[in-house]
């Protein structure tokens, strides 16, 4: 479990996994409105995806929906760049783990990611990068 108080980010543009994890359990300590512009896009990369996945898998995490939103960005970024931005193998492993051990919210992400991998033309910026699929928790296709 995280520390009792989150001291803040040394560099919010490039948070460490430990900082992101600590913040996620106390997200009111540094509100999203105080983060750099497009912070979700900044943290949705290879360095933090294992942490984001862990947070999205935890129903008790207060910032779970933010972490899931970042997973949608990560998946779309990988797929839309034909896996130049992120490893296809890594994304597949996350999807498989979500399908095996995730709850309905995370399994919906896994399903949507598989559909987008097979049919990239279904990409919609609002759904994948602005949180539409997280808010609506719906399946595409």
């Amino acid at each position: 479990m995280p520390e009792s108080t989150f001291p803040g980010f040394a560099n919010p543009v490039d948070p460490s996994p430990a900082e992101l994890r600590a913040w996620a359990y106390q997200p009111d300590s540094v509100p999203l409105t105080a983060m750099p512009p497009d912070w979700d896009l900044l943290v949705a990369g290879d360095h933090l995806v294992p942490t984001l996945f862990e947070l999205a898998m935890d129903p008790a995490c207060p910032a779970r929906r933010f972490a899931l939103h970042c997973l949608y960005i990560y998946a779309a970024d990988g797929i839309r760049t034909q896996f130049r931005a992120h490893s296809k193998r890594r994304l597949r492993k996350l999807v498989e783990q979500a399908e095996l051990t995730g709850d309905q919210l995370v399994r919906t992400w896994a399903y949507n990611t598989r559909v987008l991998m097979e049919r990239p033309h279904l990409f919609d910026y609002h759904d994948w990068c602005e949180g539409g699929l997280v808010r609506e928790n719906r399946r595409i296709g």
Side-chain angles (χ1 to χ4, degrees), residues 17-107:
E19 287 175 330
L20 184 62
R21 188 177 297 105
W23 170 81
Y25 286 93
Q26 297 184 344
D28 294 337
S29 61
V30 183
L32 283 173
T33 54
M35 298 299 187
D38 298 324
W39 192 62
D40 52 351
L41 302 176
L42 294 172
V43 299
D46 288 323
H47 175 63
L48 293 172
V49 78
T51 304
L52 291 164
F53 186 79
E54 169 193 320
L55 298 170
M57 292 283 283
D58 181 1
C61 177
R64 180 183 193 204
R65 292 173 66 81
F66 174 80
L68 186 62
H69 165 63
C70 290
L71 288 181
Y72 271 103
I73 292 170
Y74 181 84
D77 194 30
I79 294 164
R80 288 183 40 83
T81 63
Q82 298 176 339
F83 297 100
R84 287 186 298 274
H86 308 298
S87 159
K88 186 176 192 176
R89 182 171 180 252
R90 175 181 249 182
L91 182 58
R92 281 187 193 262
K93 282 185 169 199
L94 293 173
V95 166
E96 289 166 5
Q97 187 176 348
E99 290 168 340
L100 288 173
T101 60
D103 64 6
Q104 195 261 335
L105 201 63
V106 180
R107 286 195 315 269

